Structures are given as structure tokens and as C-alpha cells.
Amino acid sequence: MNPDIHANFKRRSEYMHDIQYINNIPLFNWLEINLSELCNRTCVFCPRVSEDIYPNQNIHMPINLLDNLADQLNRINYKGTINLSGYSEPMLYKYILMGIEKLKSFRVELVTNGDKVTSKLINDLFSAGLNHLLISMYDGPSQVDYFNKLIKESNIDPSKVTLRSRWLTEKDDYGLLLTNRAGAIKTNKVADISKPCNYTAYSMMLDWNGDILLCTNDWSKKVRFGNINNQNIYDIWKSSYLNKVRTKLINGDRNMSPCNVCTADGTLLGGDYVDVWNKL
């Protein structure tokens, strides 16, 4: 496994030791948000490599939706992590600093390709309430020195910024845990429909319009569990529909679309949550 990936899973697993419960139900620990439909890159391993599959659209999450989200999470005293990444480049979200400020009562991470990053922006992000910044470097090892220089100029604690090597070749899966994005792109890997998947045991995926999607791999957005504009996120989490899908996946039944064509491992995190759900 790429050392970057190993370090990332180790870091995330440290946040998941203490499972939060509401009425004996384990609460999600990881909430990923897709803030817009924009990205300034077209990587070969991403569905955005084809405009026909995933076109750029100048669509942004309404800022009042983040107010609504923060209110709902505060009501359940959410202790997990909010990850700003999704299917877009979060630095292109037109309310990025305001959005982070609205979520600052939670642990907030942001994943970026670094193209818009400056030392001032790093400072502004953390001043707004960001807890951790992850920069994926696609152009080569020379970017390490470049971003380290920006971090030093920003006077931000270097431990709060993670640099990730993504310039590797196809032979090394580009430095990623490469998947076919639930069938949205083609890879040489074959889906195993009998392999368990833990994503729905511990995480949620929020789209720009308020939809709660299946997971971070469902780029085609084939499964929607509800929408936080007219439902409470906790009610969606414990809904019969999500629970039905969750039960199937954690018990090794991927015989549903798009899971039946998905090559994601899905078992690298969340084992403790699976144990709790199975007992329930």
C-alpha cells in the first residue's frame, strides 16, 4: 500500500475509536460533502475525464443548506468528522471560507488538488475553522518543496497539513486506492459482489443539493436515501431504506446497483461499526 494511503487510514481510524450512540444506534462518524459540480482538472482515473460521463457545471451548494446541516448536526451533538471533498474541487466553491466558518463547531477537513492554494489562503482556511488540509499533488515531486514553502509562509502548524503524492503512474494506481467509481469508469479490476462493504455502517455522503447519496464512490448518483432540505439527517441515517442497504452490504451482499459493479474494497475502515450493527 502506498505510504500516503496507509497514513491516511491510520489518521482516520484514530477518529473512529469512540463510537457515538443515539438511543443505542451507532451514529455516522464521517460525513463527506460535495460542495459544487466544478473541478479544474480532468484526471484519467476520474469520471470527469469524459464530459459525457461527468461534465463540469457551475452549480454550488446554497449557503443556507450548510446552516441547516450545522443545525441538524448540533441537535444530535455530532462528534465525527466533516470532509469537504466529494466529486469536485472544494476550492472552487464560491462560499468556501463562509462555509467552513458555518461548520467550525465540528472537525472539518478539506481535500484539494492545491492549484488554488496560496500561503494566505491556507491562513484564511484555518482562521475560518478548518482543522486539517489535505493537498493531493498530481504534477510531480517538485510540488513537495513548493507546498512546504507555502505552509511555512502561512505560519500554520505543519502537522495540520498533509501532502499526498498523486503523480504516480497507472502501474502504481496513481498513488490512490483506485476504484471504478461504482462503474462510472473502466478499470482492469473485477467487482466481487460477495465482498462486504462498510461505508454505510459509519459514513454518509451529502450532495450539493441536500441529497444523501449511497457513498463517495457512487459518482453516477444512482442511490439517494433522502434529502436534508425536507428530512432530518439522523432520520435518514436510521431509515428503513438505508438500513436495508446497510444490512446487505455489511453481510457481503452487493447484488444491487451500483454496488454489483463496484470495485471498492470498503472494508478498510468501520469494522467496529459493523460489529455493532450486526448485534443490533
Side-chain angles (χ1 to χ4, degrees):
M1 181 182 290
N2 182 291
D4 288 351
I5 298 172
H6 178 77
N8 185 51
F9 278 103
K10 181 180 179 181
R11 176 180 57 82
R12 284 182 58 179
S13 65
E14 291 174 353
Y15 308 152
M16 301 174 67
H17 288 319
D18 296 324
I19 300 177
Q20 185 179 355
Y21 292 88
I22 297 180
N23 297 325
N24 295 320
I25 294 176
L27 190 62
F28 54 95
N29 176 274
W30 187 263
L31 175 60
E32 187 167 342
I33 302 179
N34 183 49
L35 292 170
S36 79
E37 287 294 277
L38 291 172
C39 189
N40 60 308
R41 289 194 173 228
T42 51
C43 301
V44 296
F45 49 78
C46 174
R48 288 184 180 275
V49 73
S50 170
E51 287 261 338
D52 294 333
I53 298 175
Y54 207 107
N56 256 350
Q57 301 180 79
N58 191 22
I59 299 174
H60 299 262
M61 177 178 283
I63 194 65
N64 63 347
L65 197 152
L66 288 177
D67 284 316
N68 181 18
L69 173 66
D71 181 59
Q72 292 189 29
L73 294 178
N74 276 316
R75 289 182 187 179
I76 58 176
N77 195 27
Y78 180 62
K79 301 295 185 183
T81 296
I82 295 176
N83 180 267
L84 305 179
S85 177
Y87 314 121
S88 61
E89 167 50 51
M91 293 300 190
L92 299 181
Y93 179 54
K94 60 183 179 181
Y95 309 117
I96 187 61
L97 294 177
M98 190 188 309
I100 292 173
E101 188 168 357
K102 290 181 180 297
L103 300 172
K104 65 182 179 182
S105 58
F106 313 104
R107 189 182 190 285
V108 181
E109 296 189 351
L110 186 149
V111 181
T112 176
N113 59 32
D115 291 349
K116 303 295 182 182
V117 170
T118 63
S119 56
K120 181 182 183 304
L121 182 55
I122 293 175
N123 249 313
D124 290 344
L125 291 168
F126 282 94
S127 295
L130 188 69
N131 295 96
H132 201 88
L133 176 64
L134 297 100
I135 303 176
S136 298
M137 303 173 294
Y138 296 98
D139 297 338
S142 62
Q143 287 189 294
V144 176
D145 290 338
Y146 173 74
F147 285 116
N148 277 329
K149 180 175 179 291
L150 294 185
I151 296 166
K152 185 175 181 180
E153 290 173 353
S154 72
N155 292 317
I156 295 296
D157 181 353
S159 68
K160 294 183 177 181
V161 184
T162 297
L163 302 182
R164 309 195 295 182
S165 54
R166 297 291 183 262
W167 61 77
L168 304 181
T169 65
E170 183 178 4
K171 177 184 175 183
D172 296 308
D173 287 344
Y174 308 102
L176 303 160
L177 278 177
L178 189 63
T179 78
N180 66 354
R181 305 299 201 272
I185 59 173
K186 294 181 179 179
T187 68
N188 294 324
K189 297 180 179 179
V190 178
D192 180 357
I193 63 172
S194 64
K195 185 175 181 61
C197 181
N198 302 346
Y199 280 115
T200 53
Y202 70 90
S203 68
M204 296 190 89
M205 179 75 205
L206 175 65
D207 204 6
W208 65 269
N209 63 351
D211 281 344
I212 296 294
L213 305 177
L214 174 63
C215 74
T216 186
N217 286 289
D218 187 12
W219 280 67
S220 299
K221 304 180 182 180
K222 291 186 175 181
V223 177
R224 294 174 170 86
F225 293 117
N227 188 294
I228 68 167
N229 284 303
N230 49 44
Q231 295 170 271
N232 186 281
I233 193 169
Y234 175 64
D235 290 338
I236 298 173
W237 174 249
K238 64 184 181 70
S239 67
S240 58
Y241 181 23
L242 203 164
N243 195 51
K244 179 180 179 181
V245 172
R246 177 188 294 124
T247 301
K248 287 168 65 74
L249 292 177
I250 64 178
N251 287 289
D253 181 0
R254 295 196 188 197
N255 194 23
M256 56 171 281
S257 180
C259 305
N260 57 351
V261 296
C262 182
T263 61
D265 186 327
T267 61
L268 298 174
L269 291 169
D272 292 345
Y273 287 76
V274 169
D275 291 342
V276 174
W277 282 111
N278 277 330
K279 289 176 182 177
L280 288 175

